Amino acid sequence: MSNPEWAEDVKAESDAHAAAEAQPEDDLPKSFTPGGSFFLNAPPTPPAVWGSGGDVLWAQGESLILAGPQGVGKTTIAHQLIRARLGLQDEVLGLPVEPAQDGKRCLMLLMDRPAQARRAGHRIFGKDDEGFLNERLVVWEGPPPYDLAKRTDILAAMCDRAGADTVLVDSIKDGALGISADEVGAGYNRARQKALAEGVQVLENHHTKKAGANGGEPNTLADVYGSVWITAGSGSVIMLWGDAGDPVVSFRHIKQPMNEVGPYQLIHDHASGLTTVRHAVDLIDMARIKGVHGLTAIDAAMAMFESKKPTAAEREKARRRLGQLVDKGLLSKREPDAPGDPVRWYPAHPGFRAQQAS
């Protein structure tokens, strides 16, 4: 179906959604949830679209933003996530991806350079069955029928029209014009939240400012381009950084549903379109190498963040990661023997320190 035909159908469904929202007040209680059930039955860890246990990169009912400059692999990773949602691969970056609901499609809004996204998709989907992809994957090329920040029901209506429970917005700036203005950012966020409320899992590509603080690598939410409402309304934000076309780029999880995942160095295989983790710091192995001296939080932070002088926040993140490994029974923690000494972590198996000391 061509895009103009879609536009007419989407407009009709959009008008129907708008009419439904204008129902009398006596219909409103049907939308309410008892407070006890809402709060007390919350799961201990967020159900994951992408992730495992507390390591959640994309939580159900919350959007995921892949942010970065041009050419660092946002579209490549997004296509792999869509392929996993279609059930054609199990994992992305070593973490499992929950497949889409039976019979549901994935919708890709390729609004930013669709021809380039098409070439990237050819590398990733090139060996898959065309008939299956035609049945389960739907693509929209170019701008949406209406500005998503002005017609906040359009995103949900497009997903409904496509029969999709997953949507890739590539990219946010092309779906809503003037995204740096708070009014536009708030409007886009409302469109996103309406889609999420309809049970659609939302994946978004977005851009960063040209550089972070003092011209360095951007690694905070403030380094993401546009209105604060873009990141405020998202459940998870991943920052990718490097030069366009680099085979190795950095990965930082700067907003998390639960645990911080990474940081990583990623390898993009441009020929196959696949992405793998090149370097993930193994704190358990570091503790083993440290032997009787043990691993300190500063040691861990220096390795995790590739910094000779980790910040207080980075040291605290390292402590949390070490604490998680203690909770899993993989490390043991030893309090200081004397005032001013650091806390130290050791491999958890019994007798390790005694064996090292002998």
Side-chain angles (χ1 to χ4, degrees), residues 104-147:
K104 288 292 185 178
R105 297 186 177 95
C106 293
L107 171 63
M108 304 175 79
L109 304 183
L110 303 182
M111 302 178 288
D112 182 7
R113 297 168 295 164
Q116 182 174 330
R118 186 181 190 183
R119 292 193 295 273
H122 180 74
R123 293 191 293 269
I124 293 168
F125 296 104
K127 296 182 180 179
D128 296 321
D129 180 72
E130 183 175 355
F132 176 84
L133 292 176
N134 286 340
E135 175 63 28
R136 297 290 305 281
L137 182 60
V138 181
V139 174
W140 176 281
E141 295 182 64
Y146 301 96
D147 188 298

Side-chain angles (χ1 to χ4, degrees), residues 190-209:
R190 184 167 177 81
R192 164 206 282 158
Q193 299 303 330
K194 285 187 176 184
L196 291 168
E198 294 296 326
V200 178
Q201 308 302 335
V202 179
L203 172 63
E204 300 156 311
N205 282 353
H206 194 38
H207 293 80
T208 57
K209 299 174 183 178

